[in-house]
Amino acid sequence: MAGGLIGKGTANGKQYPGKLTFRVFVTCMVAAFGGLIFGYDLGISGGVTSMDPFLKKFFPDVYAKEMNMKPSDNQYCRFDSQILTLFTSSLYLAALVASLCASSITRIFGRRLTMLSGGILFLAGAGFNAFAQKVWMLIVGRMLLGFGIGCANQSVPIYVSEVAPYKYRGALNMMFQLAITIGIFVANVLNYFFAKMKNGEGWHYSLGFAAVPAVMIIIGAIFLPDSPSSLIERGKDEKAKQELIKIRGTSDVDEEFKDLVEASQSSMAVKHPWATLLKRHYRPQLVMAIAIPFFQQLTGMNVITFYAPVLFRTIGFGSNASLMSSMITGGFNALATFVSIFTVDKVGRRKLFLEGGAQMFICQIVITAAIASKFGVDGNPGMLPIWYAFFVVGFICIYVMGFAWSWGPLGWLVPSEIFPLEVRSAAQSINVSVNMIFTFAIAQVFTSMLCHMKFGLFIFFACFVLVMSGFIYKFLPETKGVPIEEMSVVWQNHSYWKKFVKSASEEANAKVDNSC
C-alpha cells in the first residue's frame, strides 16, 4: 500500500507495560500550557489590528484609509499595509531564531529549561506590548513574544512525546494543539469585550493579558519532572528509571528503560546532530520535518486565525461583528480538537490527515464561490444580506473544524514522534523553523495577496490542500501504536522509504563484515 501501513500492535512486536496514570496526564497537561502562549498570540494580533483606537495610534495611514473608504471602493485592498502586517509577522522571525538556538539548550540542559525560558521571554514581550507608546516598542515586544514561542514550540511536543505511554501518545500530544486552540478562543473573546471599552484602551488589555499564559508555563516548567529520555541523555540513569516507574505506574519498565538507554548511547555517539540529520539514513525524518510544517501553513488556516477579524471586515462585517465571527470560529476550532484527541489513537494519523484535507478543500471551493458571487473582481459587493454572512461564517467554521482535527494537531504530533533521539532536538528545531518561516511569509503577504488575488486567494490554498493530501497518502506511514524508540521499523517497512533506511543498515552491516 502507498502509505506503508504496519500491522496492529507495535514495531518488533514490543508491548511495553504501563498505563495512563494521573501523574503522566497532569504532566502532559501542564507541559501543554506552552501551546497557550502560541494560541493566544495567534488570536490576539488579528483582533487588535481591527480595533480603531489601535490603528489610529500606531497605524494612522491605515486608519485614515479605513475611515475614508466608501462601500463602492475595492474592499479587497482595505487593509493592504506592509507596516501593519510586519506587526503581526515579526514575531515569527524571532521564533525561527529562538527555535534554532533552543535545540542546543534542549539537548544539553533538558526540555524543562527551554520551556521556562520561553515563558520568561513571552512574559517580557507581553509587558512591552501592553505599555507600548511607539511602533518600535510593539515590534520589540513582538520579537520577545516570538523568542518565547520558539522555545516553547521546540520543547513541548518533544517532552510530551517522550513522557506519554505509546498507546496514548497521540491523544496526550494533542493537548498541545488543544491549548493552542483554547488560547485562540480566549484571545477572541477578550478582543470582543475589550473592543467595546469606551475609552479606547482595550488594546492595552488584549496585549497585556498575554502575561497570564506566560506565567502558567513558567510555573508549570518549575514543577514539571524531566523526561526519562532527557535524564538518560544527561547521564542520570537511576533518576530516569525512577521517573519512568512513576509515570508508567508499574515497576516493570526494564525493557523500555533498556531501549531508552540504547537510544541514548546511539545519541551520544552523534557529536553533530545537524550534520547527521543530512545523512541518507535520516532522509524520511528530514523530509517530514520540512514538508509537514510547510504544508500546515499552506492550508490557509493561520490566515483565518490571525486575520479573521480583518477578513470578516473585508467581506462586509462591522468591527464588533467581525470580532464576534472570529470568536465563533475560534470556539469551533477548540471544540473540534477534542475529536482528534479521542480518535487519533483509534483511527490513526493518516485517516485524519486525509479526511481533514478533503473537508478543507470542499469548504475552500464553496467560500471562493460565495465571495466571487458577491464581490467579483472589483471588490464592490453592494449590500450584503444577513443569510450571506451566516453562510460564509458557517463554511469557515466547517473548514476550521476540518483543520482542527487533522493538520492542526497532527502537524505537531507526527514530527515530534518520528525523530530518533540522536537527531530529535535538531529535527524538531527544523520543524519549528520551517513552520515559523512560512507563518511569517503568509502573515506578511496575506493582505497584499487578498488585494491582488481577490477571491482567488482561497483557490490558491485549495490547490495546496490537494497537493498535501496526495503527499500524505503516498509518503506518510501510519505511526499509531508504535513506541517512539521503535519508530525506525515503520520506515523500513514503507514501500518508498525502505530504500533509504535499509540501504543505510546494509552499509553498516557491510562495514562490520569488512572489519572482521
Side-chain angles (χ1 to χ4, degrees), residues 312 315 317 367 370-371 387-397:
F312 284 129
I315 60 176
F317 291 69
I367 293 168
I371 294 177
W387 68 263
Y388 176 84
F390 279 106
F391 181 84
V392 172
V393 172
F395 268 92
I396 287 179
C397 286

Side-chain angles (χ1 to χ4, degrees), residues 417-453:
E417 68 182 1
I418 62 174
F419 304 138
L421 183 62
E422 62 268 22
V423 296
R424 190 171 296 161
S425 294
Q428 180 65 6
S429 289
I430 291 177
N431 176 51
V432 175
S433 298
V434 172
N435 190 299
M436 294 304 151
I437 288 171
F438 285 96
T439 302
F440 166 79
I442 295 296
Q444 188 63 30
V445 303
F446 166 70
T447 54
S448 292
M449 290 174 71
L450 181 61
C451 181
H452 293 93
M453 296 178 68

Side-chain angles (χ1 to χ4, degrees), residues 41-62:
D41 182 80
L42 284 172
I44 215 70
S45 55
V48 295
T49 53
S50 71
M51 294 181 186
D52 289 338
F54 179 83
L55 291 176
K56 187 176 181 180
K57 182 175 180 65
F58 296 106
F59 307 98
D61 292 343
V62 178

Side-chain angles (χ1 to χ4, degrees), residues 65-114:
K65 182 180 178 181
E66 167 78 2
M67 290 298 100
N68 295 326
M69 181 161 280
K70 303 181 183 67
S72 59
D73 291 339
N74 187 344
Q75 300 295 312
Y76 290 121
C77 299
R78 191 171 184 172
F79 292 94
D80 186 16
S81 167
Q82 290 302 301
I83 297 177
L84 179 61
T85 53
L86 183 62
F87 163 74
T88 299
S89 61
S90 58
L91 176 147
Y92 303 105
L93 284 182
L96 161 64
V97 174
S99 64
L100 294 174
C101 297
S103 171
S104 298
I105 299 173
T106 302
R107 182 180 170 95
I108 298 171
F109 299 105
R111 290 47 165 152
R112 290 173 59 242
L113 183 61
T114 312

Side-chain angles (χ1 to χ4, degrees), residues 1-2 4 474-475 491 493-501:
M1 185 176 176
K474 175 69 177 175
F475 295 110
W491 306 107
N493 292 338
H494 190 272
S495 59
Y496 179 77
W497 295 119
K498 64 183 180 182
K499 64 184 179 182
F500 294 93
V501 177

Side-chain angles (χ1 to χ4, degrees), residues 98-254:
S99 64
L100 294 174
C101 297
S103 171
S104 298
I105 299 173
T106 302
R107 182 180 170 95
I108 298 171
F109 299 105
R111 290 47 165 152
R112 290 173 59 242
L113 183 61
T114 312
M115 287 186 237
L116 182 62
S117 302
I120 293 171
L121 289 165
F122 198 85
L123 181 62
F128 252 91
N129 277 352
F131 298 104
Q133 296 300 319
K134 302 289 182 182
V135 173
W136 70 264
M137 294 182 70
L138 284 179
I139 302 301
V140 170
R142 295 288 292 170
M143 293 181 70
L144 287 170
L145 293 174
F147 290 140
I149 286 173
C151 290
N153 287 8
Q154 199 278 340
S155 55
V156 172
I158 289 179
Y159 179 87
V160 176
S161 288
E162 290 178 343
V163 169
Y166 71 90
K167 290 182 287 188
Y168 306 103
R169 186 177 62 243
L172 292 174
N173 199 293
M174 283 185 175
M175 285 186 178
F176 180 69
Q177 176 65 17
L178 178 63
I180 292 176
T181 62
I182 291 173
I184 293 170
F185 177 67
V186 170
N188 289 333
V189 172
L190 293 179
N191 275 337
Y192 178 73
F193 287 104
F194 288 146
K196 293 177 175 290
M197 293 180 66
K198 301 297 183 183
N199 61 4
E201 298 293 312
W203 64 269
H204 285 289
Y205 296 97
S206 287
L207 296 175
F209 262 76
V212 175
V215 170
M216 291 174 69
I217 186 63
I218 289 171
I219 295 174
I222 291 172
F223 291 101
L224 282 176
D226 278 304
S227 72
S229 293
S230 178
L231 290 168
I232 293 171
E233 200 171 22
R234 290 178 285 145
K236 302 178 180 179
D237 288 21
E238 189 56 39
K239 187 175 180 181
K241 187 169 186 179
Q242 292 304 313
E243 184 58 36
L244 190 62
I245 291 172
K246 290 177 183 177
I247 62 177
R248 295 293 179 260
T250 177
S251 58
D252 185 13
V253 296
D254 290 344

